[in-house]
Amino acid sequence: MSLKTDVTLHTASLRRYALVLTRDATAADDLVQETLLKAIDKADTWQPGTNLRPWLFRIMHNTHISDLRRAKTRSDAAPDLPEPVVGDHQHTQLELTQVLQALDQLPEAQRKPIILVALREMSYAEAARALDVPLGTFMSRLGRGREALRQIVSGIGKGKLSVLKRKGSL
Amino acid sequence: MTQDPTSDQDLGLDGDLLAYVDGTLAPERMAEVEARLARDPEARAATASWRHHDNLIRQMAQAADDLPVNMRIAALERELAAKLQARKRRAFMMGPALGRIAASVLIFAAGWGAHSLYGSAIQMVGGAYPQFVSATLAGHQAIRQAALQQAEFLPDEMDTALDWISAQMQHKIDSPKLERLGYEVESARLLATESGPLAIFHYRDGQGERVTVSIAAHAPGQPDYTLRVVRQNSDSMAYWTDRGLDYSIIGSVDPGRITTLAAAIRE
């Protein structure tokens, strides 16, 4: 597979990841563009022979962190979810809304492992590399995050559930 | 890790359950985990929930595939691919692979020796043939001196190779396109010879027979070479000048076949 083909495939993956991170199509494309610009600038740091995907995702991860520090775009953009996201089933749409809002209750360190693994684009080790954390730390954050997400969504996390209720989503 | 957990926190830290949900559980562990899930409703609920949430998140992510094509992103993709290709090439030339390539170039030269051409080629350097043909056949010394300036491209990099070689030679270099005659390109290289850059394309047909095509800029002020076909023992070669470029093709085939291949390149 040529590098051009690789880059195209990985960019599609970056776009998916960015859409979940930003919840907004325009913001997602902005994040992808910013990531690619930085990747072009940092091309000499890529080690030929190594997997390009974790390298690109790592750049996106760092770019997104910088963006979050500059502005809390994610929460502001939440009402602009692309339509349709999961089809016409209202129940599924409601579930997705709940899961996304529950994701927002999690710390960034737990949210990103959940999203990266859900995309099924990378192995655990590659995803850990993308987030620049040891594999053990990644697995711990993934597991704790998944359980926290489940508790929030199912209403077991009482305090966080009340936050969702105040937002009028349940 | 294989004990039944007693708290939600333990569930999240159970590597077997995570791997089960993500489809990465080792087959030999599958039966044990499934047995555990059958008797542990909390673990069963947790894994079902994790998988369901993953599916929802993934469905949302896949909505990105339906977004309109972003031309700016497409342009950046191309720019990044070119940058990474350049990075790969530099690393290739500076890294351990260089030795491999230098060796392969020597094999290239020595290979023609095995075809009883090498000795003849040395004589050609004396002036019996145009210099670009000599360089193709026996530019052993020039190749060795210029080893650091070589680059090699694999078959899936031919578009990039042609762009890069064209830029280096300051001539538009087109693929010899021998695929239509049953050959597949094996690699493309740029060698720095005493007479300037020399593009080399290695081809092989279905029977494993190799032919090599070289392209070089024609020396200013020199008359063009009309097509000539030369037989050397079991090998044949043809060379000519066309639109400012000198071509040669060499292979262990008869003169008729080499003429056909030359004609295909000239089309």
Side-chain angles (χ1 to χ4, degrees):
Chain A
M1 197 182 300
S2 72
L3 260 176
K4 175 68 178 70
T5 306
D6 278 348
V7 170
T8 300
L9 285 175
H10 298 333
T11 302
S13 301
L14 290 173
R15 226 175 169 195
R16 295 184 202 112
Y17 184 45
L19 186 60
V20 181
L21 287 178
T22 64
R23 318 287 165 77
D24 176 78
T26 303
D29 276 0
D30 286 348
L31 179 57
V32 172
Q33 287 181 36
E34 202 176 345
T35 298
L36 292 177
L37 280 168
K38 287 184 179 175
I40 290 166
D41 193 45
K42 295 170 181 286
D44 283 341
T45 67
W46 173 60
Q47 292 300 318
T50 63
N51 193 343
L52 197 56
R53 191 183 294 261
W55 182 76
L56 285 169
F57 271 75
R58 189 166 175 173
I59 293 173
M60 174 168 278
H61 166 66
N62 292 331
T63 304
H64 185 241
I65 287 176
S66 301
D67 287 350
L68 287 181
R69 285 177 183 150
R70 282 201 297 270
K72 299 186 184 304
T73 53
R74 176 171 46 77
S75 56
D76 295 343
D80 298 326
L81 282 173
E83 297 288 352
V85 171
V86 292
D88 299 329
H89 301 292
Q90 201 169 5
H91 178 68
T92 308
Q93 185 71 46
L94 177 63
E95 279 190 307
L96 176 62
T97 304
Q98 290 174 350
V99 169
L100 293 178
Q101 291 186 335
L103 264 178
D104 288 347
Q105 308 301 313
L106 299 180
E108 196 73 17
Q110 292 181 353
R111 178 164 49 244
K112 283 183 173 170
I114 291 173
I115 298 171
L116 278 180
V117 171
L119 295 183
R120 293 193 179 166
E121 307 268 14
M122 286 184 281
S123 67
Y124 291 144
E126 289 172 336
R129 214 178 312 146
L131 297 180
D132 199 17
V133 294
L135 181 58
T137 303
F138 177 86
M139 296 303 293
S140 168
R141 290 177 179 178
L142 171 66
R144 289 180 196 277
R146 276 177 165 170
E147 262 308 276
L149 183 69
R150 181 169 78 101
Q151 291 180 30
I152 296 169
V153 171
S154 66
I156 296 172
K158 302 292 185 190
K160 290 175 179 175
L161 182 65
S162 67
V163 171
L164 294 181
K165 281 179 174 172
R166 278 202 301 277
K167 285 187 171 183
S169 60
L170 291 177
Chain B
M1 190 170 278
T2 57
Q3 293 177 341
D4 289 359
T6 56
S7 73
D8 296 333
Q9 195 66 258
D10 289 336
L11 285 173
L13 296 178
D14 190 315
D16 275 354
L17 294 184
L18 293 173
Y20 174 77
V21 167
D22 296 324
T24 59
L25 187 66
E28 60 269 23
R29 304 276 308 136
M30 187 62 79
E32 188 178 332
V33 171
E34 286 179 341
R36 174 186 162 190
L37 290 173
R39 66 176 183 271
D40 183 346
E42 188 59 26
R44 199 162 58 244
T47 52
S49 182
W50 298 346
R51 184 171 284 162
H52 183 54
H53 294 160
D54 273 8
N55 289 338
L56 288 171
I57 292 168
R58 188 163 55 255
Q59 281 180 311
M60 181 193 176
Q62 286 169 346
D65 297 344
D66 297 326
L67 294 176
V69 173
N70 184 312
M71 299 310 291
R72 172 69 175 146
I73 288 177
L76 290 172
E77 274 178 21
R78 288 193 294 274
E79 188 177 348
L80 176 60
K83 280 270 190 177
L84 294 175
Q85 188 62 52
R87 161 71 179 145
K88 188 177 175 183
R89 195 161 43 243
R90 278 196 302 277
F92 174 80
M93 287 190 284
M94 298 302 291
L98 177 62
R100 178 172 59 79
I101 290 309
S104 71
V105 168
L106 297 183
I107 290 169
F108 164 75
W112 293 111
H115 289 86
S116 304
L117 266 175
Y118 187 72
S120 306
I122 294 298
Q123 294 170 7
M124 291 175 198
V125 175
Y129 291 93
Q131 190 179 7
F132 75 92
V133 177
S134 304
T136 308
L137 288 168
H140 184 106
Q141 289 183 335
I143 290 167
R144 191 163 54 190
Q145 289 167 3
L148 287 174
Q149 299 176 59
Q150 297 168 33
E152 181 189 49
F153 299 87
L154 299 176
D156 64 349
E157 300 173 326
M158 281 305 120
D159 289 344
T160 303
L162 291 168
D163 288 346
W164 189 76
I165 289 173
S166 296
Q168 298 300 310
M169 294 179 65
Q170 299 183 333
H171 279 272
K172 176 77 169 70
I173 304 298
D174 292 320
S175 165
K177 296 187 181 69
L178 294 182
E179 289 81 357
R180 53 192 160 165
L181 294 178
Y183 287 81
E184 289 185 4
V185 68
E186 289 191 307
S187 65
R189 299 175 183 179
L190 186 69
L191 308 183
T193 71
E194 290 173 343
S195 57
L198 180 73
I200 300 266
F201 297 86
H202 296 289
Y203 283 87
R204 180 192 284 206
D205 70 5
Q207 282 71 50
E209 283 295 335
R210 286 192 170 91
V211 297
T212 297
V213 178
S214 79
I215 307 174
H218 184 68
Q222 296 295 314
D224 287 357
Y225 302 106
T226 55
L227 177 65
R228 278 196 63 193
V229 177
V230 180
R231 175 85 179 188
Q232 288 285 340
N233 298 323
S234 60
D235 302 295
S236 301
M237 62 180 172
Y239 63 89
W240 68 95
T241 302
D242 184 20
R243 281 171 285 188
L245 293 171
D246 293 332
Y247 293 81
S248 69
I249 178 168
I250 303 163
S252 299
V253 294
D254 60 52
R257 180 64 172 165
I258 211 74
T259 303
T260 301
L261 294 172
I265 296 170
R266 287 159 61 90
E267 282 179 3

